[in-house]
Amino acid sequence: MKAICFYFQIHQPFRLKRYRFFDIGNDHYYYDDFANDDIITRIAHRSYIPAAETLLKMIEESNGKFRCAISITGTALEQFEQYVPEMIDLLKKLADTGKVEFLAETYAHSLSSLIDVDEFINEVKVHDDKIEEVFGVRPKVFRNTELIYCDDLAPVIYGMGYKGCITEGAKHILGWKSPNYVYSAASCPKLKLLLKNSKLSDDISFRFSNTEWDAYPLTADKYIDWIANTPAEEQIVNLFMNLEAFGEMQPRESGIFQFMEALPRFAAERGIDFMTPSDAISKLKAVDTLTVMHPISWADEARDTSAWLGNKLQQEAFDKLYSVSERVRMCDDRRLKQDWYYLQASDHFYYMSTKHLADGAIHSHFSPYETPFDAFTNYMNVLADFIVRVEEQYPLSIENEELNSLLTTIRNQATEIESLNKEVASMRKNIEHYNEEHALREKAKAPKAAPKAEETEEAKPKKRACRSKK
């Protein structure tokens, strides 16, 4: 039986305020609270909330046959908790159905997997902890930021406990192969891969309301027919997209929500099932291995990482940020750690892209800055202040290896002191116990006092006799 695997991405970064050079060292708060509140509230009411309600309706009306997956970043969850708590309630309802799987990813939608494996592993764990805290489930399948994947990452992902990973079905990787199968990673055969069907995903995300599209209007029965008419041996059609496609990129007036609601009914008529990523990985066998020597993503036509690291501005900011990653991991400053996560969001580097200058306005559409150079300048000002704060705790003049050695010594001494304190406390208890026992033994050895003599029966008459003689 052919199946559809829907996956929806939810992410919002903490946007930076206008931060001037003269603010460095004086202002340690970097975020535009008004913009963050306004943007997530607007998108939530136009897109996220009605989309989540639509998914709930699809599950209920199909008697649980409709299933899907959602991946939501930690920064998006934080903003929902702060500005749109009703969205958290809806996501919890989806989790309670047991038909929606929550995926693992980096906490702040970062690019750490491309430069710092230790940071990458740490961020994924922090994200999983947040998902478990909010929804009571632990993710089992992984998806990286912007579906970034390569052979070098496969063993790391599998080593973190994930049996599957979802990524882009890039044409230059697949060649003549179809994305509609389960594959295994060439560098780690036990890790299964689910690949996005770009054509069918983008038909919904980008072309649905385009009146110039030759397939317009797209109806649910037509769409399901396209899927049903794929080769019979093809196992699964992976439809991966941002949840913003519903209500934001494709407005409510286009009929996008009614289109989604009708899909389960027409799928049932054509014998097409719905699966979560975990379902697909556990039930379907990999048909072949897939080699991905260089990182791929789901962004732009090139399907590479050039959207974030394609020019010198982006590369300089990226290298400067991660130059202090080891030091930040050493610290226990909660505020510094929080800023570290927020500054890693891939969006900051996306805003610096100069691709739109030649290839259209897709990058500038999402940017709050007038130019990529403004984005770079603002970010670097913030980063300069952040690094000053890091250096206050761990001076950059000390090499990482030397600093690690010193910190290890300090930690070892702290551990030794704690151990000695415990030993002292234990000895004090033993001494107190010994003193108590010794006191009891001494008390037991002490001679008993002689009882007070009592008058005998013989003495009594004598006393009476003396009195009588007198």
Side-chain angles (χ1 to χ4, degrees):
M1 178 183 286
K2 196 180 297 293
I4 296 172
C5 178
F6 264 115
Y7 145 72
F8 305 105
Q9 166 68 31
I10 303 175
H11 166 62
Q12 289 296 330
F14 279 91
R15 292 163 184 82
L16 304 177
K17 66 183 180 183
R18 300 297 182 186
Y19 194 89
R20 302 171 303 164
F21 174 80
F22 300 103
D23 293 325
I24 299 172
N26 299 311
D27 182 2
H28 303 319
Y29 190 77
Y30 311 135
Y31 312 105
D32 189 337
D33 292 335
F34 177 80
N36 290 322
D37 183 356
D38 177 66
I39 291 171
I40 199 164
T41 301
R42 172 176 54 79
I43 295 177
H45 287 96
R46 288 180 57 177
S47 173
Y48 296 147
I49 290 175
E53 290 171 342
T54 297
L55 295 178
L56 271 173
K57 188 175 181 181
M58 292 166 71
I59 292 169
E60 293 167 358
E61 292 185 350
S62 66
N63 295 319
K65 291 183 179 179
F66 176 77
R67 295 165 173 253
C68 66
I70 291 176
S71 186
I72 177 169
T73 60
T75 52
L77 274 174
E78 285 187 38
Q79 290 185 63
F80 284 144
E81 289 171 335
Q82 188 172 355
Y83 302 119
V84 198
E86 58 268 38
M87 183 61 191
I88 296 288
D89 295 335
L90 274 173
L91 289 169
K92 286 181 178 179
K93 288 181 180 179
L94 286 169
D96 291 342
T97 65
K99 308 300 178 182
V100 176
E101 178 177 7
F102 287 85
L103 304 183
E105 65 169 280
T106 56
Y107 187 86
H109 209 62
S110 81
L111 303 173
S112 56
S113 62
L114 299 175
I115 191 170
D116 190 330
V117 172
D118 291 336
E119 178 60 28
F120 171 62
I121 293 172
N122 175 67
E123 261 205 85
V124 174
K125 182 185 180 301
V126 172
H127 175 267
D128 280 3
D129 291 343
K130 181 69 173 180
I131 293 296
E132 188 171 25
E133 174 194 331
V134 177
F135 304 113
V137 294
R138 195 84 181 172
K140 298 177 181 178
V141 175
F142 180 76
R143 66 129 263 152
N144 200 8
T145 301
E146 303 294 326
L147 300 192
I148 291 172
Y149 172 82
C150 67
D151 287 341
D152 290 342
L153 285 176
V156 179
I157 295 168
Y158 186 78
M160 288 190 286
Y162 306 108
K163 299 296 188 286
C165 174
I166 72 174
T167 187
E168 173 66 31
K171 292 179 181 178
H172 68 279
I173 296 299
L174 283 170
W176 56 269
K177 297 175 183 177
S178 168
N180 301 335
Y181 291 99
V182 175
Y183 291 88
S184 62
S187 57
C188 183
K190 291 185 177 180
L191 182 73
K192 290 184 175 179
L193 303 176
L194 296 178
L195 309 180
K196 173 189 169 188
N197 185 310
S198 298
K199 193 271 177 190
L200 289 172
S201 298
D202 293 350
D203 285 343
I204 296 176
S205 294
F206 300 112
R207 292 185 279 270
F208 183 83
S209 59
N210 182 3
T211 56
E212 297 181 0
W213 180 32
D214 58 6
Y216 181 87
L218 180 60
T219 59
D221 56 339
K222 183 196 293 187
Y223 191 75
I224 292 296
D225 282 344
W226 290 349
I227 294 173
N229 291 332
T230 56
E233 65 274 13
E234 293 188 351
Q235 304 166 310
I236 188 164
V237 176
N238 299 305
L239 304 174
F240 303 159
M241 59 198 74
N242 284 306
L243 196 63
E244 293 168 47
F246 307 97
E248 182 72 12
M249 297 170 68
Q250 305 302 328
R252 177 188 290 272
E253 298 76 29
S254 68
I256 189 68
F257 293 112
Q258 291 78 6
F259 166 83
M260 283 295 292
E261 289 173 13
L263 287 178
R265 176 165 60 88
F266 287 106
E269 290 177 2
R270 298 302 300 270
I272 297 174
D273 201 0
F274 290 92
M275 286 186 177
T276 62
S278 285
D279 292 334
I281 286 164
S282 62
K283 295 178 181 178
L284 302 177
K285 292 183 178 180
V287 298
D288 198 0
T289 59
L290 196 69
T291 300
V292 184
M293 296 182 66
H294 304 288
I296 59 173
S297 76
W298 68 353
D300 300 339
E301 197 66 32
R303 299 293 196 261
D304 58 12
T305 60
S306 60
W308 307 276
L309 300 173
N311 64 43
K312 290 184 178 180
L313 300 178
Q314 295 167 312
Q315 293 162 13
E316 182 179 345
F318 185 70
D319 292 340
K320 190 73 173 177
L321 173 68
Y322 284 98
S323 68
V324 296
S325 61
E326 195 167 350
R327 281 169 161 72
V328 177
R329 281 197 298 277
M330 294 173 190
C331 81
D332 297 319
D333 188 323
R334 188 184 65 83
R335 178 67 183 278
L336 200 68
K337 283 281 183 73
Q338 184 184 59
D339 290 336
W340 169 245
Y341 289 138
Y342 294 173
L343 291 177
Q344 286 187 77
S346 61
D347 308 70
H348 302 307
F349 304 98
Y350 193 82
Y351 302 150
M352 300 175 201
S353 175
T354 51
K355 278 189 164 188
H356 74 276
L357 299 178
D359 300 333
I362 184 65
H363 287 258
S364 59
H365 173 75
F366 295 100
S367 177
Y369 302 96
E370 292 184 8
T371 71
F373 310 103
D374 290 339
F376 172 77
T377 302
N378 201 66
Y379 183 81
M380 293 304 283
N381 285 343
V382 169
L383 187 56
D385 182 81
F386 176 77
I387 291 176
V388 167
R389 292 165 59 204
V390 173
E391 189 170 7
E392 286 175 354
Q393 296 200 29
Y394 302 112
L396 299 181
S397 58
I398 304 176
E399 294 293 332
N400 281 341
E401 290 184 6
E402 184 182 354
L403 187 57
N404 267 325
S405 177
L406 289 171
L407 288 172
T408 299
T409 301
I410 292 169
R411 291 190 186 106
N412 288 341
Q413 288 175 344
T415 302
E416 187 177 351
I417 290 170
E418 185 180 357
S419 176
L420 290 171
N421 284 336
K422 287 181 180 179
E423 190 175 340
V424 168
S426 177
M427 291 177 67
R428 282 176 178 166
K429 285 184 179 179
N430 290 337
I431 292 170
E432 289 174 1
H433 183 64
Y434 171 80
N435 288 338
E436 288 174 0
E437 287 187 343
H438 181 72
L440 289 173
R441 282 196 300 269
E442 291 299 316
K443 187 176 181 181
K445 288 179 182 178
K448 295 182 179 180
K452 188 177 180 179
E454 294 182 1
E455 292 181 316
T456 62
E457 290 298 322
E458 295 178 355
K460 291 178 182 177
K462 288 181 180 178
K463 288 180 180 179
R464 286 195 295 271
C466 291
R467 283 196 295 268
S468 61
K469 284 181 179 181
K470 186 177 180 179

